[in-house]
Amino acid sequence: MTDRTPRALALPSPAGPAPNRRLLLSTGLGLAAAVLLRPARAAGSIRIGYQKYGSLVLLKGRGTLETALQPLGTTVTWSEFPSGPPLMEALNAGAVDFGSAGEAPPIFAQGVSAELRYVATEPPAPRGEAILVPKDSPIRSVAELRGRTIALNKGSNVHYLLVRALEQAGIPYDAVKLAFLAPADANAAFVRGSVDAWAIWDPFLAAAERATGARLLTDGQGIAPNRQFYLSRRGFTDASPEVVSTVLKAIGEVDAWAAGHAESAAAELAPSVGIPAPILSVALGRLSYGVAPLDATVIADQQKVADAFHGLGLLPKPIRVADAVWTPPERRAEAQGANR
């Protein structure tokens, strides 16, 4: 049987020797293990994992969640992660109770643990992820990526974008070379010409476009929805459903504000993200807002992600996304009432 796994390249770091190959190919196991060394969750607390960009960063900076949780006697501990895959590792390991990630990371997390719970989602933002090539690259279409080296973060939302883009272009997944690199290392490889293309998400996408003049080969429009999901663990949602609902309400309030104040939101995010506010404004303009439960359409789209990775042999066993979707107590009560 043909090996369908493309070659992954361990590219040298701009500041020193080649990084450890296993580290590049893992989805963050070492980082999750480090998180496990932290103290366990105290009673009446929630440990939230966040990435440098998005509504959770705004929520953390404003301190409104801490206020909202006071009546429930719940405190908040925040932990930053470089991307979705290591955050999902930590969630599965019980090192965090709540976090957010794009489409692909929760698929792989559910593949190894039944603990994962989807608790909410944001609307699609297909323009917020893309495959870039250098401005002077001869590559003009996805079809021309055959045999080329593409940098991406393994198991992230752009991993699915690449899978679907190659599929649409009629290019086998194993006909390209993959360099599994975190955004900072991928950016360095892209700038020095060690890779031919880079699959990346905002705000790194907006920053690369501004700094290097990188050309957009394709974004997610018509290819991948690029949804953001909020996730928790079965043990936590079962024990603290009111806390989860309160967190989601607080995120919704931040979303409602950010949707109408892109420049102000960019100014608030800039210090923590380390990207100038004008560039963040571009990224925020491609973002979608509005926290909502997963409906049948969202679940079906996410099932397509799972089936795609399983079909390529990247997910060891088939999964059923619907099995990991959390139903808030109030919605369960409504459903029971309607069935009486």
Side-chain angles (χ1 to χ4, degrees), residues 210-223:
R210 176 71 64 89
T212 70
R215 182 160 42 83
L216 190 146
L217 199 61
T218 186
D219 59 20
Q221 295 182 93
I223 301 176

Side-chain angles (χ1 to χ4, degrees), residues 48-51 53-59 78 87-88 91 97-103 106 116-123 227-233 237 244 247-252 254-255 287-294 324-326:
I48 299 179
Y50 69 97
Q51 300 178 53
Y53 178 65
S55 298
L56 286 180
V57 180
L58 289 172
L59 191 62
W78 300 87
L87 198 162
M88 292 297 96
L91 192 69
D97 306 305
F98 187 96
S100 65
E103 294 151 330
L116 184 84
R117 286 293 176 269
Y118 291 88
V119 298
T121 185
E122 302 267 8
R227 286 188 175 90
Q228 184 80 359
F229 291 96
Y230 294 102
L231 304 120
S232 186
R233 296 182 294 104
T237 56
V244 175
V247 173
L248 294 177
K249 181 181 178 182
I251 295 171
V254 166
D255 267 10
L287 202 59
S288 299
Y289 299 97
V291 180
L294 279 70
V325 176
W326 179 64

Side-chain angles (χ1 to χ4, degrees), residues 305-333:
V305 180
D307 294 344
F309 282 123
H310 180 254
L312 290 170
L314 302 178
L315 191 66
K317 63 181 180 181
I319 63 169
R320 185 173 179 268
V321 171
D323 292 342
V325 176
W326 179 64
T327 302
E330 59 270 22
R331 292 186 65 203
R332 286 201 297 268

Side-chain angles (χ1 to χ4, degrees), residues 150-169:
I150 307 162
L152 71 153
N153 197 73
K154 185 181 183 183
S156 65
N157 58 336
V158 293
H159 199 158
Y160 180 62
L161 169 66
L162 179 62
V163 167
R164 291 285 291 116
L166 291 173
E167 180 185 314
Q168 283 199 3

